[in-house]
Amino acid sequence: QINLPGFDETTQQKLQNAKVLIVGAGGLGCPAAQYLAAAGIGTLAIADDDTVSIGNLHRQILYTPAEVGKKKVLIATEKLQQQNPQINIIAIEQRITSDNAMALLKDFDIILDGTDNFDTRYLLNDACVLLNKPLVYGAIYQYEGQVGVWNIANEDGTRTPNYRDVFPDVDGAQIPNCAEGGVLPTLAGITGCMQANEIGRASCR
């Protein structure tokens, strides 16, 4: 990437200085984390309290059948550290809740939402708004995916719209998750990679 026009050692240093938190080590978090680690994001934290499940392996590409039942975040961080030993990878083995969200998010420059439920999605959005941090959102459903970047600082000091501005009220009970409604596995990879690309662009500014 150093050979890219407009991308030099100073740009790479910005990536090295960046602190990114990925919330969710699943279908979106796995590919996003792999590419961000490979690109050289200096501090990469992953928050997840779930374990590897056999039914998720077709889209959660960091894990193998031998790891079923083990903590995803511990396996993911170990493998990513092997992929790039020169970066700092942090495992946060807990779920983001209203009690810990502000404390966990405050030390990071940008947050990646790789979650699969609306309660956590709104919680992350609201915490980022209160902390003035950008949030890179991704969502997948069957054959469709969405990516958005919320709450970016404008030059005049204002912020771009956030998730709640666009989706003020969503009834999550009406929308099945991946386990219930199914999802195309490659779609998770494409969406997660697009999220990683937005993180990289934001970190290079």
Side-chain angles (χ1 to χ4, degrees):
Q1 62 210 32
I2 292 290
N3 293 327
L4 286 168
F7 196 108
D8 55 19
E9 292 185 7
T10 300
T11 312
Q12 186 65 46
Q13 187 64 48
K14 290 180 180 179
L15 290 180
Q16 186 175 345
N17 294 338
K19 297 179 180 180
V20 175
L21 171 62
I22 296 176
V23 182
L28 300 178
C30 282
Q34 285 179 281
Y35 276 101
L36 290 173
I41 292 291
T43 299
L44 185 62
I46 305 173
D48 196 299
D49 71 337
D50 200 6
T51 57
V52 177
S53 171
I54 193 72
N56 295 335
L57 294 181
H58 80 302
R59 65 185 182 279
Q60 298 182 6
I61 56 174
L62 273 172
Y63 316 119
T64 69
E67 294 158 345
V68 168
K70 297 181 180 180
K71 287 288 188 177
K72 290 193 294 187
V73 70
L74 300 180
I75 297 169
T77 51
E78 180 182 358
K79 292 182 178 180
L80 293 168
Q81 195 69 79
Q82 292 174 351
Q83 179 181 351
N84 191 344
Q86 297 181 331
I87 65 174
N88 181 31
I89 301 182
I90 303 168
I92 302 174
E93 193 181 341
Q94 54 185 301
R95 180 178 294 272
I96 303 293
T97 68
S98 56
D99 293 327
N100 64 21
M102 298 292 283
L104 290 177
L105 269 60
K106 67 181 178 62
D107 293 328
F108 296 94
D109 303 317
I110 187 166
I111 313 301
L112 186 147
D113 176 7
T115 63
D116 62 357
N117 68 86
F118 288 97
D119 288 342
T120 308
R121 188 161 291 156
Y122 279 107
L123 175 60
L124 288 176
N125 175 80
D126 295 347
C128 285
V129 169
L130 292 172
L131 292 168
N132 291 321
K133 295 183 183 294
L135 176 66
V136 177
Y137 147 86
I140 51 177
Y141 174 67
Q142 295 185 340
Y143 297 98
E144 301 177 5
Q146 292 181 343
V147 175
V149 185
W150 312 119
N151 204 44
I152 302 172
N154 294 315
E155 292 183 1
D156 63 359
T158 62
R159 291 265 167 177
T160 62
N162 63 73
Y163 183 77
R164 199 177 285 277
D165 290 329
V166 180
F167 303 106
D169 184 23
V170 175
D171 184 0
Q174 301 299 316
I175 302 176
N177 60 28
C178 292
E180 298 167 343
V183 66
L184 193 67
T186 48
L187 178 64
I190 291 167
T191 305
C193 285
M194 291 177 68
Q195 288 181 276
N197 190 61
E198 293 301 328
I199 292 274
R201 289 179 59 193
S203 300
C204 290
R205 290 175 182 164

